[in-house]
Amino acid sequence: MVNSALSFLVLAAVIALFFAYRNRAMILHAPEFKFSLAHLPYYAYCSFYRMLAAYVIALLFSISYGMMAARGPSWERVMIPAIDIAQSVPVVGFFPAAVYFFVALAHGSRLGVEMAAIFLIFTSQAWNMALGVFEAVKTIPEDSAQALEAFGVSGWLKFRRLLMPACVPKLVYNSILSWVSGWYYLIACEIITVGPAHYRLPGLGSFLMEAADRGEPLEIVSGLLTLLAVIVAMDIIVWQPLTVWSEKFRYEFAASSATAQSLGMFAALSGIGPAVTRMLRAILMPGVRAINRAFEAMPTVHLLSRKQAQQVSRIGQVVLISAVVLLFAYAIVAGLAALIRTLDQPWPSEVKQIPAATVASMMRMIVAYAISLAWTIPCALAASESPRFNRFLAPAAEIIGSMPATALFPLIVIFVIKVTGGMNLASILLILTGMQWYVLFNLLAGVNQVPEDLKEAARVFGLSRVATWRKLTLPAVTPSLITGSLTAWGGGWNALILSEYFIYRGHTYQVMGLGALLDAATYQTGNGVMILLSLLSMILVVIVLNRLIWRRLYEVATERFKLDY
Amino acid sequence: MALLELKHVSKSFALAKGTLLVLEDICFNVEEGEFVALVGPSGCGKSTLLRIINGIVPLTSGQVLYNERQNDGINLESALVFQSFALLPWLTVKANIEMGLEARGIALAERERIASVYIDKVGLDGFEEAYPRELSGGMKQRVGLARALAVEPKVLLMDEPFSALDALTAITLREELLDIWQARDMSVHTIVMVTHIIEEAVELADRIIVMGSGPGRVVADLKVDIPRPRDRRAEVFNAFADKVFSLIEERG
């Protein structure tokens, strides 16, 4: 509890520090948004390069962070909970803060907005990849590590021969997930910039928003199709070949997981995948081999003796660590000062709305979560009974689930507002799109892990359908359901921020809720106290829910329902 | 002078509560050209002792002298063979064997030449480009052996090298190991092998060091005076094996 409170305070300080740049961020005049189909490829390129930039940074970060955290128990104790906390920040809510910070950093140039978007996507991609690297390094069999050490393999050679290859399967798997969530948040950022904020990011998200705003069906459909095409192309050209390739880097006895296989999306097009793989291999492999050869032909030069090299690396480490610690200490001190300065201002009357708004938002989240469960659990049960249904459902869900639901937000909102005149239903629908896939994917993964012989045993002993669900399937998927729910709630909070406040044709639609308070404060009143308090309230709710409900449930579930008989 | 001298070697691990003593006051020498087997019940710390001799596991107190000198860190003139083979699944047979050479900074062409010599020696011809997962257990251990021999060590340290193999494969590999050792045409003449299979120790070793557990210590140090080649069904062989077995039972 003390730990949680402390880390919350640190987080609050860091966020306050970002917000402190608000006063320095000057208004940027949005460049004219050229809205025409001819510009669509350009917008697709803009979105894609943002994704790519963020991903490259996330990749480098996750490799260094994950490997450092795996160095020893004392590193692990600090670095892994830090990720846990970072994960509880709703990425979308943090976007305005990031914009202020980076626009100020870039001296008011438009580059700042780009940097903020890239930073945001980075934060949605990096954490799970870093955890993946950490787990991969931690689960390297001790014998392998010792064998290398006994033969004197260390440093760069060890990194190249052992650490990096061992991470490949988990990195590829998590990269696919990271791109899915990256698209979701990128589109969200781009939508925000067209809607309420004054910064405009040219991209597919802003194009879709503009198209929905103007009510141009042709442009809406072309925008969506372009997005779909980019995602499908990425999957066929990059992820499927990489998934196949990554199998090479598995330790045999580590059960080759079915989930990794099924994540190679768009299985319907699987014939194209291998063909592209072969083609790419034919084109790329000679080059790769040549580089490898060149690398290997270089004899390892020992400029320094073993002892000296150790000393140099130790000094380097101390310098690096002290730099990070100093930077962090500065950030916390400056952040706390900024926090106090901000909260020292007179509090607006809206602050009193925060508790009620929190309850209202929670209600929406609960309804959306209930709807998610209501359709995903029957689907998972059906998939467990019928392999045919499973074979159809898994790839279909992956195709739909990998489309960023945020791209449909403008359409959904505008449609619902037209029909019902209010935002409440739209808001719940949007939250639902942010939640349901996580639940479904985890449930399906859980269903696939139920051992065949247990299913046979249920049949042999003549268990009825309902009894099989109660005694076998539901208990067996419970840990996966809880993991999925935890992630779903994380996605839900982000969707919530987008969903409670919407500007359409100059008219602001909003409902009572924490997300609306945050958005209104950010984009309307610009009241720093309100922005900070509503964002922090949301983070607090997320942390409390994780600690009090999800983590405990997870511990109980894994203890009771683990399949390690 | 002995090639390896272990003087009062002790090892303890730090636990949540206090420390666990796994090896206590181990003393013995290994002569150049000797084949020594370490036998004992599971948990007597024999594998840990082997790793202490190599240097990847640091000792708590005592000394390990190699050529009368104390080694700090890993003794690169020794090479380890693992029970689990410990091959990297993403490297080919050849690349696995070359790994130790690469660490020693040997250039590519020379590495390839050395690797092919030992691939030939352990009978892996034709499997150079195969991946470990495509090989049987026996073939994998040949790779493990070739990887160790390729760095041309003075001492070969083998940790239950044949325990993960089926009985027939193990017999073949034991004979091949003996052939390689007795040919004396390589740098390595000295072998220290950990095993829990008593017949294996009696068949291969010049000397058997029997260890007891809780904490691990030397219980007996026996010279195996059965002439080679040894017949596994001969009476002297079985009598010797019985003697070792009863020593372990009594004092292990």
Side-chain angles (χ1 to χ4, degrees):
Chain A
M1 224 49 228
V2 178
N3 269 345
S4 305
L6 263 181
S7 40
F8 177 69
L9 197 64
V10 169
L11 201 61
V14 172
I15 290 173
L17 185 65
F18 271 79
F19 270 109
Y21 286 86
R22 199 163 66 96
N23 307 328
R24 287 207 252 150
M26 39 300 281
I27 305 274
L28 293 181
H29 290 286
E32 204 201 333
F33 193 83
K34 297 188 186 69
F35 181 73
S36 78
L37 276 183
H39 285 93
L40 198 49
Y42 169 69
Y43 291 135
Y45 157 77
C46 286
S47 294
F48 183 76
Y49 105 79
R50 265 172 224 132
M51 286 287 293
L52 193 63
Y55 175 71
V56 169
I57 302 170
L59 189 64
L60 294 177
F61 167 84
S62 61
I63 292 170
S64 27
Y65 194 94
M67 287 193 179
M68 225 187 263
R71 290 186 64 143
S74 48
W75 296 78
E76 181 183 335
R77 258 199 303 280
V78 177
M79 295 178 78
I80 296 306
I83 287 198
D84 212 36
I85 290 295
Q87 269 177 329
S88 60
V89 181
V91 176
V92 175
F94 189 58
F95 183 57
V99 172
Y100 299 143
F101 179 78
F102 284 103
V103 168
L105 204 69
H107 299 293
S109 109
R110 276 191 27 80
L111 196 63
V113 190
E114 289 289 343
M115 279 156 67
I118 289 168
F119 177 73
L120 255 285
I121 305 160
F122 161 81
T123 60
S124 76
Q125 291 182 328
W127 316 133
N128 63 319
M129 283 163 62
L131 285 178
V133 170
F134 169 75
E135 277 165 28
V137 174
K138 283 278 279 190
T139 50
I140 289 175
E142 208 194 341
D143 269 2
S144 286
Q146 280 193 342
L148 265 80
E149 211 185 319
F151 284 102
V153 177
S154 61
W156 171 235
L157 190 62
K158 182 178 168 190
F159 179 81
R160 215 151 50 89
R161 284 279 182 261
L162 178 71
L163 299 178
M164 209 46 234
C167 293
V168 167
K170 280 224 155 81
L171 257 184
V172 171
Y173 177 80
N174 280 294
S175 295
I176 297 175
L177 297 183
S178 284
W179 272 75
V180 171
S181 62
W183 277 114
Y184 186 92
Y185 294 116
L186 172 66
I187 301 290
C189 291
E190 291 174 354
I191 288 178
I192 293 179
T193 58
V194 177
H198 299 289
Y199 307 108
R200 225 178 250 261
L201 276 176
L204 282 177
S206 34
F207 181 87
L208 281 168
M209 182 64 207
E210 191 76 28
D213 210 31
R214 297 185 185 192
E216 307 264 13
L218 176 68
E219 275 75 8
I220 291 175
V221 172
S222 345
L224 286 175
L225 285 180
T226 310
L227 182 59
L228 184 70
V230 173
I231 290 173
V232 171
M234 269 297 280
D235 188 71
I236 293 174
I237 296 171
V238 180
W239 300 126
Q240 285 196 7
L242 272 183
T243 307
V244 173
W245 176 71
S246 73
E247 286 299 309
K248 187 175 129 181
F249 297 91
R250 258 175 220 291
Y251 279 101
E252 287 163 272
F253 42 83
S256 125
S257 69
T259 45
Q261 288 286 354
S262 71
L263 252 167
M265 277 170 243
F266 311 111
L269 301 164
S270 58
I272 306 172
V276 173
T277 314
R278 274 195 299 276
M279 203 177 75
L280 282 181
R281 198 169 274 170
I283 298 168
L284 294 177
M285 269 330 262
V288 171
R289 275 215 192 94
I291 294 169
N292 253 340
R293 286 264 140 181
F295 248 120
E296 285 176 12
M298 278 193 301
T300 323
V301 187
H302 291 287
L303 285 176
L304 303 167
S305 76
R306 222 183 156 70
K307 266 221 171 106
Q308 282 172 319
Q310 271 173 3
Q311 268 169 353
V312 168
S313 84
R314 201 164 297 148
I315 292 168
Q317 249 179 49
V318 170
V319 170
L320 185 73
I321 294 168
S322 10
V324 170
V325 167
L326 278 178
L327 188 71
F328 205 64
Y330 162 76
I332 290 175
V333 171
L336 283 175
L339 187 67
I340 293 165
R341 244 193 342 270
T342 311
L343 296 182
D344 199 31
Q345 293 161 11
W347 289 22
S349 59
E350 290 105 353
V351 172
K352 290 193 213 88
Q353 295 175 11
I354 287 181
T358 309
V359 173
S361 292
M362 275 294 284
M363 295 301 288
R364 263 176 227 118
M365 293 280 287
I366 290 170
V367 171
Y369 180 59
I371 299 174
S372 308
L373 291 185
W375 77 268
T376 54
I377 291 181
C379 269
L381 288 177
S384 80
E385 280 176 7
S386 154
R388 263 181 62 202
F389 181 62
N390 193 3
R391 269 201 298 280
F392 155 78
L393 180 67
E398 272 166 14
I399 295 176
I400 305 169
S402 69
M403 279 291 283
T406 38
L408 297 172
F409 274 24
L411 280 183
I412 296 176
V413 175
I414 290 164
F415 180 75
V416 175
I417 288 176
K418 274 195 177 143
V419 173
T420 67
M423 271 288 289
N424 236 324
L425 180 62
S427 173
I428 289 170
L429 280 179
L430 297 192
I431 299 169
L432 183 65
T433 62
M435 277 187 150
Q436 55 193 359
W437 302 115
Y438 295 111
V439 182
L440 182 67
F441 290 145
N442 277 283
L443 276 176
L444 288 181
V447 160
N448 286 332
Q449 277 162 12
V450 179
E452 218 35 59
D453 49 356
L454 282 189
K455 286 192 209 163
E456 271 174 14
R459 269 200 299 280
V460 167
F461 290 105
L463 258 65
S464 70
R465 254 178 118 178
V466 177
T468 310
W469 293 346
R470 276 190 37 224
K471 300 259 187 243
L472 175 62
T473 320
L474 287 177
V477 301
T478 301
S480 317
L481 175 63
I482 291 166
T483 316
S485 303
L486 175 73
T487 335
W489 277 72
W493 285 111
N494 277 299
L496 182 97
I497 300 172
L498 288 173
S499 74
E500 292 184 339
Y501 183 93
F502 206 84
I503 294 181
Y504 172 54
R505 298 204 168 158
H507 191 288
T508 306
Y509 295 87
Q510 58 177 319
V511 284
M512 164 82 167
L514 210 44
L517 283 185
L518 174 62
D519 290 339
T522 312
Y523 307 118
Q524 252 176 11
T525 63
N527 186 305
V529 180
M530 262 321 275
I531 301 175
L532 204 54
L533 282 179
S534 41
L535 184 56
L536 290 183
S537 311
M538 194 175 289
I539 293 171
L540 192 63
V541 173
V542 173
I543 292 178
V544 168
L545 283 181
N546 284 357
R547 295 280 146 113
L548 289 188
I549 299 184
W550 298 120
R551 187 164 305 172
R552 292 205 182 160
L553 276 180
Y554 185 76
E555 275 162 21
V556 173
T558 44
E559 177 80 24
R560 270 205 62 190
F561 302 124
K562 203 163 64 179
L563 284 165
D564 64 345
Y565 61 104
Chain B
M1 215 46 228
L3 185 68
L4 275 169
E5 291 171 75
L6 278 72
K7 291 184 167 172
H8 310 288
V9 171
S10 295
K11 173 72 187 172
S12 48
F13 287 109
L15 295 181
K17 293 174 201 161
T19 55
L20 176 71
L21 187 62
V22 287
L23 290 172
E24 189 180 34
D25 197 32
I26 308 276
C27 299
F28 63 82
N29 292 349
V30 177
E31 301 295 330
E32 163 77 32
E34 214 176 7
F35 195 135
V36 175
L38 294 174
V39 299
S42 59
C44 71
K46 49 192 192 296
S47 291
T48 307
L49 184 60
L50 198 74
R51 283 164 171 73
I52 287 175
I53 295 175
N54 169 269
I56 35 172
V57 171
L59 41 68
T60 310
S61 66
Q63 279 183 309
V64 174
L65 298 184
Y66 174 78
N67 274 334
E68 295 175 56
R69 285 185 48 200
Q70 191 171 359
N71 227 333
D72 47 331
I74 292 154
N75 180 356
L76 288 178
E77 296 201 354
S78 70
L80 256 175
V81 176
F82 292 80
Q83 177 179 9
S84 65
F85 321 127
L87 304 174
L88 296 182
W90 42 81
L91 295 184
T92 61
V93 165
K94 198 161 89 43
N96 263 296
I97 293 171
E98 282 179 29
M99 199 184 62
L101 300 169
E102 208 175 344
R104 282 159 178 75
I106 295 169
L108 179 67
E110 179 66 1
R111 269 183 354 235
E112 290 190 326
R113 190 192 62 76
I114 299 174
S116 69
V117 170
Y118 290 96
I119 284 172
D120 185 53
K121 192 144 250 152
V122 300
L124 279 168
D125 300 274
F127 290 94
E128 290 87 347
E129 298 301 325
Y131 286 95
R133 76 185 76 227
E134 297 158 2
L135 303 179
S136 66
M139 294 304 269
K140 280 181 203 161
Q141 196 54 299
R142 283 169 207 263
V143 181
L145 185 60
R147 177 176 67 180
L149 293 176
V151 297
E152 310 198 325
K154 294 277 168 21
V155 189
L156 190 60
L157 303 172
M158 308 184 88
D159 184 14
E160 308 239 14
F162 309 126
S163 300
L165 306 175
D166 67 82
L168 289 175
T169 310
I171 288 173
T172 321
L173 274 179
R174 264 178 225 144
E175 280 166 6
E176 288 181 24
L177 176 67
L178 270 187
D179 288 344
I180 289 173
W181 176 61
Q182 282 168 339
R184 306 258 157 181
D185 59 350
M186 280 186 294
S187 62
V188 60
H189 309 306
T190 314
I191 299 177
V192 181
M193 176 192 278
V194 163
T195 179
H196 65 265
I197 307 168
I198 294 162
E199 289 75 15
E200 184 170 283
V202 179
E203 184 188 345
L204 299 175
D206 296 322
R207 237 171 91 208
I208 296 177
I209 292 170
V210 182
M211 290 179 65
S213 58
R217 65 204 186 283
V218 175
V219 171
D221 190 337
L222 309 168
K223 201 150 190 74
V224 188
D225 43 12
I226 308 169
R228 297 176 191 269
R230 292 171 185 162
D231 178 3
R232 275 188 299 275
R233 274 152 299 187
E235 206 160 303
V236 276
F237 189 97
N238 286 320
F240 203 98
D242 280 345
K243 191 165 100 188
V244 177
F245 189 71
S246 52
L247 270 171
I248 295 176
E249 266 206 323
E250 279 165 31
R251 296 195 264 164

